[in-house]
């Protein structure tokens, strides 16, 4: 199959899986609000975030290593599977033991359930990443839906019927993840891979060399993306943080686009990294990805004001003015993740750590410096600058090793269009006129950008050849 068509096809499959999961999660929000007190929900959110933060530490990021190593055709998939499974089984026993030991200390929290939830999250990440690497992309997407559906059903039963409150909330997440794991094992017949005797000490060490730098990278990335909330609530107050948090939700659609694309891009870049012509492929996909991000970003900026005015509570209305900065930060975040996939394809995880850490440090210093001068606008600007610096460092390094050509002219044009629409939306009071201009710009770009039309022609030609 043509590599461009495969990339788009996988992206569509992952889109179906992600959109289904997002829909179910959206439906569950009212259920949580009616069945959990604010105190319970606060504890539930704290423990859930704790699980997500501990996942890369306890799992040693081996689930990402399993994905990357299993993509290599020369690697023995059974050895990779068991060399990941064996350490994770040990971590499972250690986690359960520690949970039992500390349970009396934190008697007010469901510690054991939280520990099991943590390990279920790790094993789901491992199994789903492994099957995605060996070609089961449809099963990977369906597993996400299975996970969310069972989590939704169990949430209703445990919270509404059995009224288990905090314990029921955490248990429903665990049931969803375990259900997803069971589906993966049965649908792909993973039993045939299980053979602990095929565990390789040498392979475990090699995988850990790849995965260990990703652990601090995860936390550095979290600081880069989320530390602004901490500084805003500390330096300005909860009200400002609430407005900023609501404004940050509007650009989240770009994150969905980035997540969907990244799942298929990680496969494509590894498959192509040692092929002739991979530089052209990477460069074409890079500029196409940037085009999509900026087009979506322009549309979000165009309709941000009507959304804040007519959809959200009026107390959040001032937040629409932050949208342009937050959208630009999310666009840069998506580009940085695109480049990160290239690093991981070449197993340069240490470079990933260094660049992300640089961005996180710069973000913190700029945020602390600008918030007293500009309020939450300073935090948004800090995000934009820090992600831009990460991008520039990665582009320079990747370009220097001959993997990527940069179409500077087209990138500059997209920035000018984005800044122009942002300026118009901020200065023009006629919402309808702003909407017309924004939509017109996006349609014009799609029709007249030769790179976009070229990619459509490539896909159409390849499709006709296949047929």
């Amino acid at each position: 199959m043509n590599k461009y068509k495969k990339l788009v096809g996988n992206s569509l499959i992952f889109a179906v899986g992600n959109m289904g999961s997002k829909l179910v999660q959206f439906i569950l929000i009212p259920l949580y609000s009616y069945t959990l007190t604010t105190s319970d929900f606060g504890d539930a959110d704290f423990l859930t975030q704790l699980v997500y933060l501990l996942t890369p530490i306890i799992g040693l990021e081996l689930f990402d290593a399993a994905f990357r190593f299993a993509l290599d055709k020369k690697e023995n998939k059974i050895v990779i599977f068991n060399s990941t499974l064996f350490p994770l089984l040990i971590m499972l026993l250690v986690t359960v033991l520690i949970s039992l030991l500390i349970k009396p200390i934190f008697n007010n929290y469901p510690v054991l359930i939280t520990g099991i939830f943590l390990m279920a999250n790790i094993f789901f990440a491992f199994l789903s990443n492994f099957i995605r690497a060996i070609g089961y992309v449809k099963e990977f997407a369906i597993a996400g839906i299975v996970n969310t559906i069972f989590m939704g059903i169990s949430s209703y039963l445990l919270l509404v019927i059995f009224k288990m409150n905090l314990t029921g909330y955490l248990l429903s997440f665990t049931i969803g993840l375990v259900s997803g794991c069971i589906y993966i094992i049965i649908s792909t017949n993973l039993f045939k891979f299980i053979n602990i005797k095929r565990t390789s000490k040498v392979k475990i060490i090699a995988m850990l060399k790849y995965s260990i730098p990703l652990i601090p990278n995860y936390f550095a990335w979290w600081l880069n993306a989320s530390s602004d909330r901490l500084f805003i609530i500390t330096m300005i107050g909860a009200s400002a943080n609430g407005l900023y948090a609501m404004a940050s939700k509007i650009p989240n659609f770009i994150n969905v686009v980035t997540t969907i694309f990244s799942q298929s891009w990680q496969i494509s870049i590894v498959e192509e990294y040692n092929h002739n012509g991979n530089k052209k492929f990477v460069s074409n996909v890079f500029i196409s990805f940037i085009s999509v991000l900026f087009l979506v970003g322009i549309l979000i900026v165009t309709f941000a004001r009507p959304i804040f005015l007519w959809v959200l509570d009026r107390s959040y209305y001032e937040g629409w003015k932050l949208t342009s900065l937050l959208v630009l930060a999310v666009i840069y975040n998506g580009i940085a993740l695109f480049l990160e996939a290239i690093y991981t394809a070449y197993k340069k995880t240490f470079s990933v750590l260094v660049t992300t850490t640089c961005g996180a440090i710069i973000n913190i210093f700029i945020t602390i410096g600008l918030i007293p001068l500009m309020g939450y606008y300073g935090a948004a600007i800090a995000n934009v600058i820090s992600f831009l610096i990460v991008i520039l460092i990665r582009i320079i390094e990747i370009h220097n090793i001959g993997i990527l050509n940069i179409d500077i002219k087209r990138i500059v044009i997209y920035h000018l269009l984005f800044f122009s629409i942002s300026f118009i939306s901020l200065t023009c009071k006629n919402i309808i006129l702003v909407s017309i201009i924004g939509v017109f710009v996006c349609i014009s770009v799609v029709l007249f950008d030769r790179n976009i039309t070229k990619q459509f022609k490539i896909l159409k030609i390849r499709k006709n050849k296949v047929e």
Side-chain angles (χ1 to χ4, degrees):
M1 184 185 290
N2 169 256
K3 52 193 174 185
Y4 293 99
K5 185 179 178 184
K6 183 175 182 180
L7 177 60
V8 173
N10 284 343
S11 296
L12 291 175
I13 292 171
F14 295 139
V16 172
N18 278 276
M19 290 304 179
S21 299
K22 297 294 182 185
L23 179 61
V24 173
Q25 291 174 15
F26 178 77
I27 293 172
L28 288 175
I29 293 174
L31 185 145
Y32 294 146
S33 67
Y34 283 108
T35 56
L36 295 172
T37 64
T38 54
S39 177
D40 280 342
F41 192 73
D43 290 337
D45 182 69
F46 167 74
L47 292 174
T48 302
Q49 295 305 317
L50 180 63
V51 165
Y52 294 149
L53 283 172
L54 289 176
T55 293
I57 298 177
I58 305 301
L60 302 173
E61 280 285 355
L62 280 171
F63 37 84
D64 281 331
F67 170 75
R68 176 59 190 86
F69 278 71
L71 276 173
D72 282 342
K73 294 180 179 179
K74 63 181 180 180
E75 294 284 1
N76 186 308
K77 310 305 185 231
I78 295 178
V79 172
I80 296 298
F81 183 84
N82 289 282
S83 296
T84 308
L85 178 63
F86 181 70
L88 291 184
L89 287 174
I90 294 175
M91 296 309 296
L92 170 62
L93 294 174
V94 171
T95 301
V96 172
L97 180 61
I98 292 175
S99 299
L100 290 171
L101 290 175
I102 66 174
K103 189 175 183 296
I105 302 175
F106 301 96
N107 196 37
N108 293 330
Y109 292 99
V111 175
L112 182 59
I113 295 297
T114 304
I116 296 173
F117 172 23
L118 168 63
M119 292 311 304
N121 195 48
I122 291 172
F123 272 90
F124 181 78
F126 162 49
L127 297 179
S128 58
N129 273 339
F130 183 77
I131 64 166
R132 179 162 60 110
I134 61 176
Y136 291 99
V137 291
K138 292 181 181 178
E139 288 77 6
F140 169 83
I142 295 173
I145 297 176
V146 170
N147 169 21
T148 314
I149 289 176
F150 273 87
M151 186 260 288
I153 294 172
S154 56
S155 292
Y156 178 80
L157 292 174
L158 297 175
L159 294 175
V160 177
I161 306 300
F162 296 104
K163 303 185 184 303
M164 295 179 66
N165 301 324
L166 176 58
T167 300
Y169 178 90
L170 297 173
L171 195 55
S172 66
F173 274 81
T174 307
I175 291 172
L177 290 166
V178 172
S179 300
C181 290
I182 293 173
Y183 167 78
I184 290 172
I185 293 170
I186 295 175
S187 64
T188 61
N189 193 24
L190 276 185
F191 294 107
K192 63 186 178 184
F193 287 92
I194 300 175
N195 186 353
I196 297 298
K197 293 181 180 179
R198 300 297 301 274
T199 301
S200 169
K201 182 180 178 181
V202 173
K203 190 59 61 180
I204 292 174
I205 293 173
M207 293 171 70
L208 287 174
K209 286 182 179 179
Y210 171 90
S211 67
I212 293 299
L214 294 176
I215 298 174
N217 174 70
Y218 176 87
F219 288 98
W221 200 258
W222 180 86
L223 286 172
N224 214 15
S226 304
S227 62
D228 49 356
R229 314 286 181 82
L230 177 63
F231 288 114
I232 289 173
I233 198 170
T234 302
M235 301 173 71
I236 308 178
S239 178
N241 187 57
L243 192 147
Y244 186 89
M246 183 59 70
S248 299
K249 289 186 179 297
I250 304 302
N252 271 349
F253 184 75
I254 298 178
N255 280 332
V256 175
V257 173
T258 301
T259 300
I260 291 169
F261 177 79
S262 295
Q263 289 173 345
S264 55
W265 173 237
Q266 288 172 336
I267 297 173
S268 294
I269 184 59
V270 172
E271 290 178 344
E272 296 294 329
Y273 83 99
N274 60 353
H275 290 178
N276 292 329
N278 67 326
K279 184 176 182 179
K280 181 179 179 181
F281 172 65
V282 171
S283 301
N284 286 340
V285 175
F286 179 63
I287 195 62
S288 298
F289 181 61
I290 287 178
S291 301
V292 171
L293 289 184
F294 271 99
L295 287 174
V296 175
I298 288 172
L299 287 175
I300 291 174
V301 171
T302 298
F303 294 104
R305 192 173 180 181
I307 291 172
F308 274 87
L309 183 62
W310 298 324
V311 178
L312 302 180
D313 187 89
R314 290 300 296 269
S315 61
Y316 293 100
Y317 179 68
E318 284 299 311
W320 79 269
K321 296 177 183 178
L322 276 165
T323 306
S324 295
L325 287 171
L326 295 173
V327 166
L328 189 59
V330 173
I331 289 174
Y332 287 164
N333 176 45
I335 296 172
L337 290 174
F338 178 97
L339 298 170
E340 183 173 308
I342 299 176
Y343 276 113
T344 54
Y346 285 78
K347 299 181 180 177
K348 294 180 177 293
T349 50
F350 184 74
S351 294
V352 172
L353 170 60
V354 172
T355 53
T356 306
T357 303
C358 286
I361 294 172
I362 292 169
N363 191 332
I364 290 172
F365 278 105
I366 296 178
T367 301
I368 294 173
L370 289 184
I371 283 182
L373 300 174
M374 306 175 67
Y376 42 58
Y377 290 99
I381 292 172
N383 269 357
V384 171
I385 294 173
S386 62
F387 280 125
L388 178 59
I389 290 173
V390 172
I391 289 172
L392 292 176
I393 296 173
R394 290 181 177 181
I395 283 179
I396 292 171
E397 184 172 0
I398 292 173
H399 178 72
N400 287 340
I401 59 179
I403 308 172
L404 180 67
N405 279 330
I406 308 299
D407 189 342
I408 297 177
K409 180 181 177 181
R410 186 170 272 105
I411 293 174
V412 170
I413 290 173
Y414 275 114
H415 276 84
L416 290 175
L417 290 173
F418 180 84
F419 291 140
S420 298
I421 296 299
S422 298
F423 177 77
I424 292 171
S425 68
L426 287 169
T427 56
C428 181
K429 295 182 179 180
N430 191 322
I431 294 177
I432 296 176
L433 179 60
V434 173
S435 301
I436 292 172
I437 294 173
V439 172
F440 175 76
V441 167
C442 289
I443 293 175
S444 300
V445 170
V446 172
L447 293 177
F448 297 108
D449 188 326
R450 288 179 297 173
N451 180 73
I452 294 177
T453 55
K454 178 183 175 182
Q455 297 307 319
F456 277 120
K457 288 179 181 178
I458 290 174
L459 291 172
K460 186 175 181 180
I461 291 171
R462 294 296 181 180
K463 181 179 179 182
N464 292 335
K465 285 184 177 180
V466 172
E467 292 174 349

